[in-house]
Amino acid sequence: NAGVTQTPKFQVLKTGQSMTLQCAQDMNHNSMYWYRQDPGMGLRLIYYSASEGTTDKGEVPNGYNVSRLNKREFSLRLESAAPSQTSVYFCASSERLNEQFFGPGTRLTVL
Amino acid sequence: RKEVEQDPGPFNVPEGATVAFNCTYSNSASQSFFWYRQDCRKEPKLLMSVYSSGNEDGRFTAQLNRASQYISLLIRDSKLSDSATYLCAVGLYNFNKFYFGSGTKLNVKP
């Protein structure tokens, strides 16, 4: 089992460009999450999907959109990247409120 | 006010020492509790879940105090390999989401 996979691992964007971060899990979990992690800020929830077909905003949703494509895949889209979105992005999955499994992260720099 | 708060540290301890971290949470409806370990530039990985009665896994002991709304992690006989950042997380059942603390950095020195 691969667990949670994320692509790409690294990305550099210019201000105003768009991109989609991909996430997939093979553990048959219902819930999936997108976090960003900045120095000293811990993990902050951007969006989550409690089950296939539903998505909800987290603490810091502005500037992002998500799509729960199917039970396995949950993508995060930046429509018009800003330098404030420079961060490390982690995708995670879990079965309800049990242990979360994280992907390896995407390191995004917006110039 | 943050949902989950931790002392960022760093805690600098010698090998063999005992060290304890606390984590406070603000929402009394929190229903699940975890400690994660995060190594530099890596993803968080579950260290242990925290149960109401407290639980132990080798050198690690976790406890939950619902009345005072905090969880704790005790590491005995610290090893160099314990050096990492420790994140606490709480889950809110009604919202099916988690809140994480900002992490406590531990440095174990020879």
Side-chain angles (χ1 to χ4, degrees):
Chain A
N1 286 350
V4 180
T5 57
Q6 289 183 236
T7 56
K9 285 188 168 54
F10 301 93
Q11 184 71 48
V12 178
L13 294 177
K14 294 181 180 178
T15 296
Q17 287 185 315
S18 61
M19 78 163 295
T20 299
L21 282 65
Q22 306 286 354
C23 174
Q25 52 94 7
D26 61 4
M27 294 172 283
N28 203 36
H29 287 160
N30 280 299
S31 303
M32 298 185 73
Y33 307 82
W34 276 106
Y35 295 92
R36 60 178 288 173
Q37 187 173 39
D38 303 293
M41 299 291 289
L43 288 162
R44 291 185 292 170
L45 184 64
I46 304 171
Y47 271 94
Y48 67 106
S49 171
S51 60
E52 187 178 355
T54 69
T55 60
D56 287 285
K57 295 178 180 179
E59 302 170 73
V60 288
N62 291 345
Y64 305 95
N65 284 302
V66 291
S67 295
R68 184 75 183 265
L69 304 168
N70 47 55
K71 191 171 185 179
R72 290 187 64 248
E73 298 173 286
F74 189 38
S75 63
L76 178 72
R77 182 159 178 85
L78 286 70
E79 291 291 352
S80 178
S84 60
Q85 294 178 305
T86 293
S87 190
V88 181
Y89 291 85
F90 289 104
C91 176
S93 72
S94 72
E95 193 53 38
R96 297 183 67 81
L97 290 186
N98 294 322
E99 172 191 359
Q100 285 193 312
F101 293 83
F102 286 83
T106 294
R107 282 160 179 76
L108 175 67
T109 300
V110 183
L111 303 174
Chain B
R1 182 183 176 184
K2 289 185 180 179
E3 292 281 345
V4 180
E5 301 210 53
Q6 290 182 255
D7 181 343
F11 285 59
N12 298 308
V13 303
E15 270 186 293
T18 296
V19 62
F21 310 135
N22 281 341
C23 168
T24 58
Y25 60 94
S26 61
N27 195 324
S28 59
S30 300
Q31 295 208 309
S32 58
F33 307 88
F34 306 91
W35 283 102
Y36 285 81
R37 172 193 169 124
Q38 187 174 27
D39 294 298
C40 189
R41 300 181 68 80
K42 298 285 191 180
E43 71 272 26
K45 292 186 178 177
L46 182 73
L47 179 66
M48 57 198 303
S49 302
V50 187
Y51 303 118
S52 297
S53 55
N55 46 300
E56 189 173 304
D57 183 2
R59 298 181 293 109
F60 299 86
T61 300
Q63 293 196 312
L64 167 63
N65 185 318
R66 285 191 183 271
S68 300
Q69 295 186 197
Y70 73 87
I71 61 174
S72 63
L73 177 67
L74 181 78
I75 305 175
R76 290 181 298 278
D77 189 23
S78 299
K79 311 290 185 192
L80 294 175
S81 57
D82 293 334
S83 296
T85 296
Y86 292 83
L87 303 166
C88 62
V90 302
L92 290 175
Y93 179 79
N94 288 346
F95 301 96
N96 201 36
K97 62 182 179 181
F98 298 83
Y99 288 99
F100 282 80
S102 56
T104 297
K105 188 168 175 59
L106 173 66
N107 296 317
V108 181
K109 302 190 180 297

